[in-house]
Amino acid sequence: MFGRRAEPAPVPPAELMTRLTRRGPHKVLRGDLAFVGVPGQIFTPTSGSGLPLVVFSHAWMADSHRYRDLLFHLATHGIVAAIPDVERGPAPSDAALAAALRTALSGLPRVRLGLSESVTVDAGRRAVAGHGFGASAAVLALGPQVLAGVEPVPVSSLTAIFPAPTTATAFAAAASVQVPSMVLAAGSHLDTLTNNPLPLARELGGDVCLRAIPGATDRALLQKRSLRSLIGINGADKSVHAAVRALLTGFVLATAGGNDEYAVFGDPEAQLGTAAPVDPDEPDADDRSHVQKLLQGPATQKSGSPLTSGVSSIRALRGS
């Protein structure tokens, strides 16, 4: 009589983070996104059918080239990653950027990609992610309104990286977002004039994971153009970039990718590397006005205070 085959032991979160910080097994192709009707870049594995897709939205005064390593990294792990190059000036429209996200989301599953046109995207495995201003545009893209003639597109998940407030319309759209969401905060910048991860996490309609990356700033993710970039040094903060690329890769694989091995990335209480879980339902310990926050800066974590999960997560982060 044969016994049951033992289920493999789950991989510890720390090991998953280490794995996803490194490049994946796939070789990568880079192409022009314009063939689906919006300028930008697209990164794909060299082969694969029915792959998950993430469309990324850039921060204020940034463009697709500031995220090359991040999107390349996603593609090495079997994810098709695209980023529109629109609304890059000093007075961008979140609605126009959101419409471009929808255009890419709807267009890419309809075409064949790769050198031999063997790479395809599964329309049921789409995700949206954004950074800063682009995070608010990503939220708006998931809202119910028609934007610049582009209808809403169903997706599997949302990732908002160091989100920045834009318009009331974009924030109002958050309540209609019913898909799993991951919101990343830059250190203790939970609710300021330039960062709103805590209010956004509270407003989103679906399941939300709010995580804080200690020591991060909202621009630390951006690559910088320099001579050093020619030898593979992208100029972004190494620790912040490593944490974000692992968290984003794992969350997309778990949600749009449907890979149960990475389910822990959707657990709001899981400690993943240095990224600490934060309970958005806990009362906010920083009750200063936005003007006071602007003049005094964000509340900071006291020396030696851990960033831990539980009922005191916001207070621990703020150092109160």
PDB file of all heavy atoms in Angstrom, residues 2-34:
ATOM      1  N   PHE A   2       0.592   2.103  -0.920  1.00  0.00           N
ATOM      2  CA  PHE A   2       1.436   3.276  -1.076  1.00  0.00           C
ATOM      3  C   PHE A   2       0.919   4.409  -0.198  1.00  0.00           C
ATOM      4  O   PHE A   2      -0.294   4.669  -0.138  1.00  0.00           O
ATOM      5  CB  PHE A   2       1.471   3.725  -2.535  1.00  0.00           C
ATOM      6  CG  PHE A   2       2.105   2.722  -3.451  1.00  0.00           C
ATOM      7  CD1 PHE A   2       1.312   1.847  -4.197  1.00  0.00           C
ATOM      8  CD2 PHE A   2       3.477   2.623  -3.541  1.00  0.00           C
ATOM      9  CE1 PHE A   2       1.895   0.921  -5.025  1.00  0.00           C
ATOM     10  CE2 PHE A   2       4.070   1.701  -4.374  1.00  0.00           C
ATOM     11  CZ  PHE A   2       3.269   0.838  -5.124  1.00  0.00           C
ATOM     12  N   GLY A   3       1.819   5.082   0.457  1.00  0.00           N
ATOM     13  CA  GLY A   3       1.431   6.243   1.250  1.00  0.00           C
ATOM     14  C   GLY A   3       1.292   7.482   0.376  1.00  0.00           C
ATOM     15  O   GLY A   3       1.693   7.509  -0.783  1.00  0.00           O
ATOM     16  N   ARG A   4       0.690   8.497   0.961  1.00  0.00           N
ATOM     17  CA  ARG A   4       0.531   9.759   0.237  1.00  0.00           C
ATOM     18  C   ARG A   4       1.883  10.451   0.083  1.00  0.00           C
ATOM     19  O   ARG A   4       2.715  10.398   0.984  1.00  0.00           O
ATOM     20  CB  ARG A   4      -0.430  10.691   0.978  1.00  0.00           C
ATOM     21  CG  ARG A   4      -1.876  10.212   0.969  1.00  0.00           C
ATOM     22  CD  ARG A   4      -2.749  11.241   1.652  1.00  0.00           C
ATOM     23  NE  ARG A   4      -4.144  10.828   1.662  1.00  0.00           N
ATOM     24  CZ  ARG A   4      -5.118  11.544   2.210  1.00  0.00           C
ATOM     25  NH1 ARG A   4      -4.829  12.688   2.830  1.00  0.00           N
ATOM     26  NH2 ARG A   4      -6.368  11.120   2.173  1.00  0.00           N
ATOM     27  N   ARG A   5       2.033  11.093  -1.034  1.00  0.00           N
ATOM     28  CA  ARG A   5       3.260  11.869  -1.248  1.00  0.00           C
ATOM     29  C   ARG A   5       3.228  13.102  -0.344  1.00  0.00           C
ATOM     30  O   ARG A   5       2.244  13.831  -0.307  1.00  0.00           O
ATOM     31  CB  ARG A   5       3.365  12.296  -2.708  1.00  0.00           C
ATOM     32  CG  ARG A   5       4.611  13.102  -3.015  1.00  0.00           C
ATOM     33  CD  ARG A   5       4.699  13.449  -4.481  1.00  0.00           C
ATOM     34  NE  ARG A   5       4.818  12.240  -5.292  1.00  0.00           N
ATOM     35  CZ  ARG A   5       4.868  12.276  -6.629  1.00  0.00           C
ATOM     36  NH1 ARG A   5       4.783  13.435  -7.269  1.00  0.00           N
ATOM     37  NH2 ARG A   5       4.977  11.147  -7.306  1.00  0.00           N
ATOM     38  N   ALA A   6       4.292  13.312   0.373  1.00  0.00           N
ATOM     39  CA  ALA A   6       4.354  14.444   1.301  1.00  0.00           C
ATOM     40  C   ALA A   6       4.349  15.759   0.532  1.00  0.00           C
ATOM     41  O   ALA A   6       5.020  15.902  -0.491  1.00  0.00           O
ATOM     42  CB  ALA A   6       5.608  14.342   2.164  1.00  0.00           C
ATOM     43  N   GLU A   7       3.560  16.707   1.040  1.00  0.00           N
ATOM     44  CA  GLU A   7       3.539  18.038   0.447  1.00  0.00           C
ATOM     45  C   GLU A   7       4.865  18.740   0.738  1.00  0.00           C
ATOM     46  O   GLU A   7       5.395  18.640   1.858  1.00  0.00           O
ATOM     47  CB  GLU A   7       2.389  18.857   1.010  1.00  0.00           C
ATOM     48  CG  GLU A   7       1.010  18.358   0.636  1.00  0.00           C
ATOM     49  CD  GLU A   7       0.710  18.559  -0.835  1.00  0.00           C
ATOM     50  OE1 GLU A   7       1.277  19.498  -1.432  1.00  0.00           O
ATOM     51  OE2 GLU A   7      -0.064  17.779  -1.405  1.00  0.00           O
ATOM     52  N   PRO A   8       5.419  19.433  -0.248  1.00  0.00           N
ATOM     53  CA  PRO A   8       6.667  20.160   0.015  1.00  0.00           C
ATOM     54  C   PRO A   8       6.455  21.245   1.055  1.00  0.00           C
ATOM     55  O   PRO A   8       5.401  21.875   1.108  1.00  0.00           O
ATOM     56  CB  PRO A   8       7.019  20.760  -1.358  1.00  0.00           C
ATOM     57  CG  PRO A   8       5.728  20.796  -2.109  1.00  0.00           C
ATOM     58  CD  PRO A   8       4.937  19.624  -1.632  1.00  0.00           C
ATOM     59  N   ALA A   9       7.447  21.421   1.899  1.00  0.00           N
ATOM     60  CA  ALA A   9       7.358  22.437   2.944  1.00  0.00           C
ATOM     61  C   ALA A   9       7.347  23.824   2.299  1.00  0.00           C
ATOM     62  O   ALA A   9       8.052  24.062   1.311  1.00  0.00           O
ATOM     63  CB  ALA A   9       8.543  22.312   3.895  1.00  0.00           C
ATOM     64  N   PRO A  10       6.540  24.746   2.828  1.00  0.00           N
ATOM     65  CA  PRO A  10       6.530  26.096   2.263  1.00  0.00           C
ATOM     66  C   PRO A  10       7.881  26.773   2.412  1.00  0.00           C
ATOM     67  O   PRO A  10       8.589  26.581   3.404  1.00  0.00           O
ATOM     68  CB  PRO A  10       5.454  26.819   3.082  1.00  0.00           C
ATOM     69  CG  PRO A  10       5.320  26.028   4.344  1.00  0.00           C
ATOM     70  CD  PRO A  10       5.612  24.606   3.970  1.00  0.00           C
ATOM     71  N   VAL A  11       8.233  27.550   1.417  1.00  0.00           N
ATOM     72  CA  VAL A  11       9.510  28.269   1.453  1.00  0.00           C
ATOM     73  C   VAL A  11       9.384  29.443   2.412  1.00  0.00           C
ATOM     74  O   VAL A  11       8.412  30.206   2.342  1.00  0.00           O
ATOM     75  CB  VAL A  11       9.890  28.769   0.043  1.00  0.00           C
ATOM     76  CG1 VAL A  11      11.227  29.511   0.084  1.00  0.00           C
ATOM     77  CG2 VAL A  11       9.936  27.611  -0.939  1.00  0.00           C
ATOM     78  N   PRO A  12      10.313  29.620   3.345  1.00  0.00           N
ATOM     79  CA  PRO A  12      10.231  30.742   4.287  1.00  0.00           C
ATOM     80  C   PRO A  12      10.221  32.084   3.550  1.00  0.00           C
ATOM     81  O   PRO A  12      10.875  32.237   2.511  1.00  0.00           O
ATOM     82  CB  PRO A  12      11.503  30.592   5.134  1.00  0.00           C
ATOM     83  CG  PRO A  12      11.892  29.160   4.985  1.00  0.00           C
ATOM     84  CD  PRO A  12      11.480  28.758   3.606  1.00  0.00           C
ATOM     85  N   PRO A  13       9.475  33.072   4.082  1.00  0.00           N
ATOM     86  CA  PRO A  13       9.414  34.386   3.426  1.00  0.00           C
ATOM     87  C   PRO A  13      10.779  35.008   3.170  1.00  0.00           C
ATOM     88  O   PRO A  13      10.997  35.629   2.135  1.00  0.00           O
ATOM     89  CB  PRO A  13       8.581  35.224   4.406  1.00  0.00           C
ATOM     90  CG  PRO A  13       7.726  34.231   5.117  1.00  0.00           C
ATOM     91  CD  PRO A  13       8.567  32.999   5.244  1.00  0.00           C
ATOM     92  N   ALA A  14      11.715  34.838   4.118  1.00  0.00           N
ATOM     93  CA  ALA A  14      13.045  35.426   3.930  1.00  0.00           C
ATOM     94  C   ALA A  14      13.736  34.840   2.710  1.00  0.00           C
ATOM     95  O   ALA A  14      14.418  35.549   1.957  1.00  0.00           O
ATOM     96  CB  ALA A  14      13.898  35.210   5.182  1.00  0.00           C
ATOM     97  N   GLU A  15      13.552  33.537   2.499  1.00  0.00           N
ATOM     98  CA  GLU A  15      14.158  32.892   1.333  1.00  0.00           C
ATOM     99  C   GLU A  15      13.494  33.349   0.040  1.00  0.00           C
ATOM    100  O   GLU A  15      14.168  33.539  -0.980  1.00  0.00           O
ATOM    101  CB  GLU A  15      14.056  31.377   1.480  1.00  0.00           C
ATOM    102  CG  GLU A  15      14.783  30.595   0.390  1.00  0.00           C
ATOM    103  CD  GLU A  15      14.750  29.100   0.617  1.00  0.00           C
ATOM    104  OE1 GLU A  15      14.725  28.679   1.799  1.00  0.00           O
ATOM    105  OE2 GLU A  15      14.757  28.345  -0.374  1.00  0.00           O
ATOM    106  N   LEU A  16      12.169  33.550   0.077  1.00  0.00           N
ATOM    107  CA  LEU A  16      11.467  34.055  -1.103  1.00  0.00           C
ATOM    108  C   LEU A  16      11.949  35.462  -1.456  1.00  0.00           C
ATOM    109  O   LEU A  16      12.145  35.789  -2.627  1.00  0.00           O
ATOM    110  CB  LEU A  16       9.960  34.066  -0.854  1.00  0.00           C
ATOM    111  CG  LEU A  16       9.268  32.704  -0.748  1.00  0.00           C
ATOM    112  CD1 LEU A  16       7.800  32.891  -0.384  1.00  0.00           C
ATOM    113  CD2 LEU A  16       9.396  31.928  -2.058  1.00  0.00           C
ATOM    114  N   MET A  17      12.136  36.303  -0.431  1.00  0.00           N
ATOM    115  CA  MET A  17      12.615  37.657  -0.687  1.00  0.00           C
ATOM    116  C   MET A  17      14.008  37.636  -1.299  1.00  0.00           C
ATOM    117  O   MET A  17      14.300  38.384  -2.236  1.00  0.00           O
ATOM    118  CB  MET A  17      12.621  38.469   0.613  1.00  0.00           C
ATOM    119  CG  MET A  17      11.255  38.927   1.067  1.00  0.00           C
ATOM    120  SD  MET A  17      10.529  40.200  -0.015  1.00  0.00           S
ATOM    121  CE  MET A  17      11.600  41.610   0.352  1.00  0.00           C
ATOM    122  N   THR A  18      14.869  36.773  -0.766  1.00  0.00           N
ATOM    123  CA  THR A  18      16.215  36.657  -1.327  1.00  0.00           C
ATOM    124  C   THR A  18      16.155  36.204  -2.778  1.00  0.00           C
ATOM    125  O   THR A  18      16.857  36.739  -3.647  1.00  0.00           O
ATOM    126  CB  THR A  18      17.055  35.674  -0.503  1.00  0.00           C
ATOM    127  OG1 THR A  18      17.154  36.149   0.845  1.00  0.00           O
ATOM    128  CG2 THR A  18      18.444  35.523  -1.081  1.00  0.00           C
ATOM    129  N   ARG A  19      15.318  35.218  -3.054  1.00  0.00           N
ATOM    130  CA  ARG A  19      15.175  34.705  -4.413  1.00  0.00           C
ATOM    131  C   ARG A  19      14.700  35.793  -5.366  1.00  0.00           C
ATOM    132  O   ARG A  19      15.234  35.950  -6.482  1.00  0.00           O
ATOM    133  CB  ARG A  19      14.176  33.545  -4.429  1.00  0.00           C
ATOM    134  CG  ARG A  19      13.901  32.984  -5.809  1.00  0.00           C
ATOM    135  CD  ARG A  19      12.660  32.097  -5.817  1.00  0.00           C
ATOM    136  NE  ARG A  19      12.773  30.981  -4.897  1.00  0.00           N
ATOM    137  CZ  ARG A  19      11.773  30.138  -4.668  1.00  0.00           C
ATOM    138  NH1 ARG A  19      10.599  30.295  -5.255  1.00  0.00           N
ATOM    139  NH2 ARG A  19      11.946  29.134  -3.822  1.00  0.00           N
ATOM    140  N   LEU A  20      13.703  36.577  -4.942  1.00  0.00           N
ATOM    141  CA  LEU A  20      13.112  37.563  -5.841  1.00  0.00           C
ATOM    142  C   LEU A  20      13.919  38.854  -5.918  1.00  0.00           C
ATOM    143  O   LEU A  20      13.698  39.674  -6.811  1.00  0.00           O
ATOM    144  CB  LEU A  20      11.674  37.866  -5.407  1.00  0.00           C
ATOM    145  CG  LEU A  20      10.706  36.682  -5.521  1.00  0.00           C
ATOM    146  CD1 LEU A  20       9.318  37.097  -5.073  1.00  0.00           C
ATOM    147  CD2 LEU A  20      10.671  36.143  -6.948  1.00  0.00           C
ATOM    148  N   THR A  21      14.844  39.038  -5.007  1.00  0.00           N
ATOM    149  CA  THR A  21      15.764  40.174  -5.130  1.00  0.00           C
ATOM    150  C   THR A  21      16.736  39.949  -6.278  1.00  0.00           C
ATOM    151  O   THR A  21      17.184  40.894  -6.935  1.00  0.00           O
ATOM    152  CB  THR A  21      16.539  40.371  -3.818  1.00  0.00           C
ATOM    153  OG1 THR A  21      15.618  40.666  -2.772  1.00  0.00           O
ATOM    154  CG2 THR A  21      17.542  41.516  -3.923  1.00  0.00           C
ATOM    155  N   ARG A  22      17.035  38.673  -6.544  1.00  0.00           N
ATOM    156  CA  ARG A  22      17.953  38.333  -7.629  1.00  0.00           C
ATOM    157  C   ARG A  22      17.207  38.219  -8.955  1.00  0.00           C
ATOM    158  O   ARG A  22      15.992  38.050  -8.986  1.00  0.00           O
ATOM    159  CB  ARG A  22      18.646  37.006  -7.308  1.00  0.00           C
ATOM    160  CG  ARG A  22      19.468  37.043  -6.027  1.00  0.00           C
ATOM    161  CD  ARG A  22      19.872  35.650  -5.607  1.00  0.00           C
ATOM    162  NE  ARG A  22      20.673  35.659  -4.375  1.00  0.00           N
ATOM    163  CZ  ARG A  22      20.805  34.626  -3.568  1.00  0.00           C
ATOM    164  NH1 ARG A  22      20.184  33.473  -3.846  1.00  0.00           N
ATOM    165  NH2 ARG A  22      21.544  34.716  -2.476  1.00  0.00           N
ATOM    166  N   ARG A  23      17.945  38.276 -10.043  1.00  0.00           N
ATOM    167  CA  ARG A  23      17.360  38.089 -11.368  1.00  0.00           C
ATOM    168  C   ARG A  23      16.767  36.690 -11.483  1.00  0.00           C
ATOM    169  O   ARG A  23      17.290  35.729 -10.922  1.00  0.00           O
ATOM    170  CB  ARG A  23      18.422  38.271 -12.454  1.00  0.00           C
ATOM    171  CG  ARG A  23      19.033  39.664 -12.527  1.00  0.00           C
ATOM    172  CD  ARG A  23      18.025  40.716 -12.896  1.00  0.00           C
ATOM    173  NE  ARG A  23      18.678  41.931 -13.389  1.00  0.00           N
ATOM    174  CZ  ARG A  23      18.180  43.141 -13.255  1.00  0.00           C
ATOM    175  NH1 ARG A  23      17.029  43.318 -12.647  1.00  0.00           N
ATOM    176  NH2 ARG A  23      18.820  44.187 -13.753  1.00  0.00           N
ATOM    177  N   GLY A  24      15.686  36.567 -12.237  1.00  0.00           N
ATOM    178  CA  GLY A  24      15.072  35.283 -12.473  1.00  0.00           C
ATOM    179  C   GLY A  24      15.752  34.527 -13.603  1.00  0.00           C
ATOM    180  O   GLY A  24      16.759  34.977 -14.166  1.00  0.00           O
ATOM    181  N   PRO A  25      15.191  33.379 -13.993  1.00  0.00           N
ATOM    182  CA  PRO A  25      15.854  32.505 -14.970  1.00  0.00           C
ATOM    183  C   PRO A  25      15.649  32.901 -16.431  1.00  0.00           C
ATOM    184  O   PRO A  25      16.317  32.343 -17.305  1.00  0.00           O
ATOM    185  CB  PRO A  25      15.199  31.147 -14.695  1.00  0.00           C
ATOM    186  CG  PRO A  25      13.831  31.487 -14.199  1.00  0.00           C
ATOM    187  CD  PRO A  25      13.995  32.743 -13.410  1.00  0.00           C
ATOM    188  N   HIS A  26      14.746  33.840 -16.706  1.00  0.00           N
ATOM    189  CA  HIS A  26      14.398  34.133 -18.097  1.00  0.00           C
ATOM    190  C   HIS A  26      15.304  35.195 -18.715  1.00  0.00           C
ATOM    191  O   HIS A  26      15.630  36.202 -18.072  1.00  0.00           O
ATOM    192  CB  HIS A  26      12.948  34.629 -18.184  1.00  0.00           C
ATOM    193  CG  HIS A  26      11.940  33.617 -17.752  1.00  0.00           C
ATOM    194  ND1 HIS A  26      11.425  32.669 -18.594  1.00  0.00           N
ATOM    195  CD2 HIS A  26      11.343  33.416 -16.540  1.00  0.00           C
ATOM    196  CE1 HIS A  26      10.555  31.924 -17.944  1.00  0.00           C
ATOM    197  NE2 HIS A  26      10.491  32.348 -16.688  1.00  0.00           N
ATOM    198  N   LYS A  27      15.691  34.973 -19.962  1.00  0.00           N
ATOM    199  CA  LYS A  27      16.316  36.029 -20.743  1.00  0.00           C
ATOM    200  C   LYS A  27      15.232  37.010 -21.175  1.00  0.00           C
ATOM    201  O   LYS A  27      14.049  36.658 -21.258  1.00  0.00           O
ATOM    202  CB  LYS A  27      17.033  35.438 -21.955  1.00  0.00           C
ATOM    203  CG  LYS A  27      18.224  34.564 -21.574  1.00  0.00           C
ATOM    204  CD  LYS A  27      18.953  34.049 -22.817  1.00  0.00           C
ATOM    205  CE  LYS A  27      20.159  33.214 -22.421  1.00  0.00           C
ATOM    206  NZ  LYS A  27      20.892  32.690 -23.606  1.00  0.00           N
ATOM    207  N   VAL A  28      15.631  38.251 -21.461  1.00  0.00           N
ATOM    208  CA  VAL A  28      14.655  39.326 -21.626  1.00  0.00           C
ATOM    209  C   VAL A  28      14.834  40.046 -22.959  1.00  0.00           C
ATOM    210  O   VAL A  28      15.960  40.284 -23.415  1.00  0.00           O
ATOM    211  CB  VAL A  28      14.775  40.338 -20.460  1.00  0.00           C
ATOM    212  CG1 VAL A  28      13.845  41.535 -20.667  1.00  0.00           C
ATOM    213  CG2 VAL A  28      14.465  39.653 -19.135  1.00  0.00           C
ATOM    214  N   LEU A  29      13.696  40.396 -23.555  1.00  0.00           N
ATOM    215  CA  LEU A  29      13.660  41.248 -24.742  1.00  0.00           C
ATOM    216  C   LEU A  29      13.023  42.586 -24.373  1.00  0.00           C
ATOM    217  O   LEU A  29      12.102  42.634 -23.556  1.00  0.00           O
ATOM    218  CB  LEU A  29      12.836  40.590 -25.846  1.00  0.00           C
ATOM    219  CG  LEU A  29      13.332  39.251 -26.390  1.00  0.00           C
ATOM    220  CD1 LEU A  29      12.294  38.658 -27.334  1.00  0.00           C
ATOM    221  CD2 LEU A  29      14.676  39.418 -27.088  1.00  0.00           C
ATOM    222  N   ARG A  30      13.529  43.657 -24.955  1.00  0.00           N
ATOM    223  CA  ARG A  30      12.947  44.981 -24.741  1.00  0.00           C
ATOM    224  C   ARG A  30      12.404  45.498 -26.059  1.00  0.00           C
ATOM    225  O   ARG A  30      13.045  45.355 -27.106  1.00  0.00           O
ATOM    226  CB  ARG A  30      13.987  45.958 -24.195  1.00  0.00           C
ATOM    227  CG  ARG A  30      13.440  47.365 -23.921  1.00  0.00           C
ATOM    228  CD  ARG A  30      14.510  48.268 -23.337  1.00  0.00           C
ATOM    229  NE  ARG A  30      15.591  48.506 -24.281  1.00  0.00           N
ATOM    230  CZ  ARG A  30      15.586  49.475 -25.204  1.00  0.00           C
ATOM    231  NH1 ARG A  30      14.546  50.283 -25.321  1.00  0.00           N
ATOM    232  NH2 ARG A  30      16.619  49.627 -25.999  1.00  0.00           N
ATOM    233  N   GLY A  31      11.218  46.107 -26.024  1.00  0.00           N
ATOM    234  CA  GLY A  31      10.609  46.611 -27.245  1.00  0.00           C
ATOM    235  C   GLY A  31       9.894  47.935 -27.028  1.00  0.00           C
ATOM    236  O   GLY A  31       9.866  48.486 -25.921  1.00  0.00           O
ATOM    237  N   ASP A  32       9.313  48.439 -28.119  1.00  0.00           N
ATOM    238  CA  ASP A  32       8.585  49.702 -28.117  1.00  0.00           C
ATOM    239  C   ASP A  32       7.108  49.411 -27.906  1.00  0.00           C
ATOM    240  O   ASP A  32       6.516  48.577 -28.594  1.00  0.00           O
ATOM    241  CB  ASP A  32       8.800  50.414 -29.454  1.00  0.00           C
ATOM    242  CG  ASP A  32       8.351  51.856 -29.431  1.00  0.00           C
ATOM    243  OD1 ASP A  32       7.415  52.170 -28.672  1.00  0.00           O
ATOM    244  OD2 ASP A  32       8.918  52.675 -30.183  1.00  0.00           O
ATOM    245  N   LEU A  33       6.491  50.122 -26.975  1.00  0.00           N
ATOM    246  CA  LEU A  33       5.084  49.895 -26.648  1.00  0.00           C
ATOM    247  C   LEU A  33       4.142  50.557 -27.650  1.00  0.00           C
ATOM    248  O   LEU A  33       2.935  50.264 -27.651  1.00  0.00           O
ATOM    249  CB  LEU A  33       4.808  50.437 -25.235  1.00  0.00           C
ATOM    250  CG  LEU A  33       3.470  50.132 -24.575  1.00  0.00           C
ATOM    251  CD1 LEU A  33       3.233  48.638 -24.464  1.00  0.00           C
ATOM    252  CD2 LEU A  33       3.401  50.794 -23.200  1.00  0.00           C
ATOM    253  N   ALA A  34       4.662  51.408 -28.525  1.00  0.00           N
ATOM    254  CA  ALA A  34       3.809  52.218 -29.396  1.00  0.00           C
ATOM    255  C   ALA A  34       2.913  51.391 -30.307  1.00  0.00           C
ATOM    256  O   ALA A  34       1.883  51.895 -30.769  1.00  0.00           O
ATOM    257  CB  ALA A  34       4.676  53.154 -30.232  1.00  0.00           C
TER     258      ALA A  34
END
